[in-house]
Amino acid sequence: MTDRELTTSTGAGSAAAPVRFRPRNWIVLAGAIGLALAALAYWTLARPASGAAPRLRAALEQAATYLGRTELRGDDTWIATQGAMRLGPDFRTWAETLNVNPIVETDVQRDPLASRTGSGTEGHLWKLRWLPDTALPALPRPDDTLAPPLPVALTDEDLFAILRDMAYAVVCPRLSPSDRQAWLDGLHVPAQSYRLTHQLLSLIIGHNQGCLDAATVEPLRRELATRLWLEQAADRSGIHDLSIERMAILCYAQVCDWIPTAWVDEVIATQEPSGSWGERNPGVHERVVARPEHTAALAFYVLAATWHERFADISPRPVPPQGR
């Protein structure tokens, strides 16, 4: 298009000077309007409603206070430390002050592959509490109209499978070829509930330790994360340990942007004055008892990942409590 001038008259029958419009100027104006609309869309759609940052900050600080005065097991400390890593150096220092159950250090001496119950897995998971993320590509959020029916109860075999999946993940650098194949076979088994969350968790821990390459991880991450998100989207039973765990593992799999603001708001709304979420058992198996500190550590991670994803540039930032 040439830079032509278009003229109009400013009054009927008058000899007024023409008003000149250059196509190039229209392009610049259209671009400016587009940027303004994009910014407006970001603040109204991508960012949560006004006041969300202070609510999230307060919930994070309350959860940290609760976790700081509670004795934690290996999995609790692992997820709490992973959350702290997303909140900056002050929270990293705080994480080193967490009160870890002494049995965790004893647990490190056990071989998770030596028994069906995976004894030693929690200790080895605790050793990985500072394991950094390895970047993964963004994935489009699934269509929630595809959400399946609500999950059914776990079986005893599901519980043993969870232990196996996690045992393989925490010691994956030393797996034999046959153990590695058994691990991958277990991650491909169609599952639900806590087994599904642990399949995805096991996969990402393996990837972050360098045990699984991108060609192995990416198709399975997409499949497991999609099924996990759809399961959460279909769940109308409210906030409990499993629903919070689903969100936490989705964030750990680097699809935290899939989590709707309403889900995070519900987590914040159900926090108790103590900073915990109390006993929120999902009722999927009689042997699955959600300890308050476990649920609180998961919720802390969800809130920390959300802050990192959406409010990292906001001041003031969350402040951890004073360490012991």
Side-chain angles (χ1 to χ4, degrees):
M1 179 182 291
T2 60
D3 191 14
R4 301 187 303 275
E5 290 187 354
L6 307 178
T7 63
T8 66
S9 173
T10 58
S14 70
V19 179
R20 293 179 172 84
F21 297 94
R22 297 179 185 275
R24 185 173 298 165
N25 293 343
W26 283 107
I27 293 172
V28 172
L29 178 60
I33 293 172
L35 288 174
L37 290 174
L40 179 62
Y42 174 77
W43 285 102
T44 57
L45 298 177
R47 287 253 175 170
S50 175
R55 290 196 303 271
L56 180 56
R57 181 170 57 247
L60 270 167
E61 292 174 350
Q62 286 180 292
T65 297
Y66 171 79
L67 292 171
R69 61 172 182 255
T70 305
E71 186 176 78
L72 304 176
R73 288 176 23 175
D75 55 344
D76 309 327
T77 310
W78 176 81
I79 194 66
T81 302
Q82 286 287 312
M85 289 169 61
R86 285 148 178 80
L87 295 174
D90 289 345
F91 270 92
R92 286 172 175 260
T93 300
W94 165 81
E96 290 286 24
T97 72
L98 291 173
N99 182 20
V100 184
N101 188 312
I103 199 172
V104 171
E105 295 206 38
T106 303
D107 210 34
V108 175
Q109 310 306 317
R110 300 189 177 99
D111 180 1
L113 301 182
S115 71
R116 191 183 183 199
T117 59
S119 297
T121 298
E122 281 206 30
H124 284 77
L125 185 60
W126 174 71
K127 284 178 60 180
L128 296 175
R129 64 195 183 280
W130 294 109
L131 180 67
D133 292 329
T134 301
L136 291 164
L139 295 175
R141 191 168 79 175
D143 180 358
D144 62 4
T145 62
L146 303 176
L150 293 180
V152 297
L154 294 172
T155 65
D156 286 345
E157 184 53 39
D158 287 327
L159 299 184
F160 284 119
I162 288 169
L163 296 173
R164 289 196 303 271
D165 291 342
M166 293 307 298
Y168 285 132
V170 297
V171 297
C172 67
R174 66 175 179 83
L175 291 181
S176 66
S178 60
D179 282 339
R180 184 180 187 278
Q181 189 57 54
W183 177 33
L184 291 175
D185 289 345
L187 299 185
H188 280 89
V189 172
Q192 60 197 8
S193 189
Y194 283 110
R195 184 169 185 190
L196 178 55
T197 63
H198 284 80
Q199 284 176 318
L200 184 54
L201 174 60
S202 177
L203 179 75
I204 303 303
I205 288 176
H207 177 62
N208 287 342
Q209 289 197 85
C211 300
L212 301 172
D213 59 25
T216 301
V217 169
E218 273 311 286
L220 190 52
R221 178 176 76 115
R222 180 188 294 267
E223 177 187 345
L224 294 174
T226 297
R227 285 198 275 124
L228 187 59
W229 190 88
L230 291 174
E231 183 178 280
Q232 175 70 1
D235 192 343
R236 300 292 183 268
S237 59
I239 292 295
H240 45 68
D241 186 81
L242 176 56
S243 63
I244 296 175
E245 179 162 302
R246 292 192 193 107
M247 291 183 239
I249 304 307
L250 286 169
C251 286
Y252 189 62
Q254 299 181 37
V255 289
C256 210
D257 57 316
W258 289 9
I259 307 296
T261 299
W263 292 6
V264 180
D265 287 345
E266 193 173 5
V267 173
I268 295 173
T270 52
Q271 187 179 32
E272 299 183 355
S274 66
S276 79
W277 278 257
E279 294 185 1
R280 292 183 172 268
N281 290 296
V284 295
H285 192 285
E286 62 181 7
R287 293 173 60 188
V288 175
V289 178
R291 294 172 288 106
E293 59 271 25
H294 181 261
T295 305
L298 289 168
F300 174 77
Y301 180 87
V302 171
L303 300 179
T306 301
W307 182 276
H308 178 74
E309 177 84 20
R310 303 175 187 178
F311 297 114
D313 59 335
I314 296 292
S315 294
R317 297 182 176 183
V319 177
Q322 294 296 315
R324 292 178 293 110

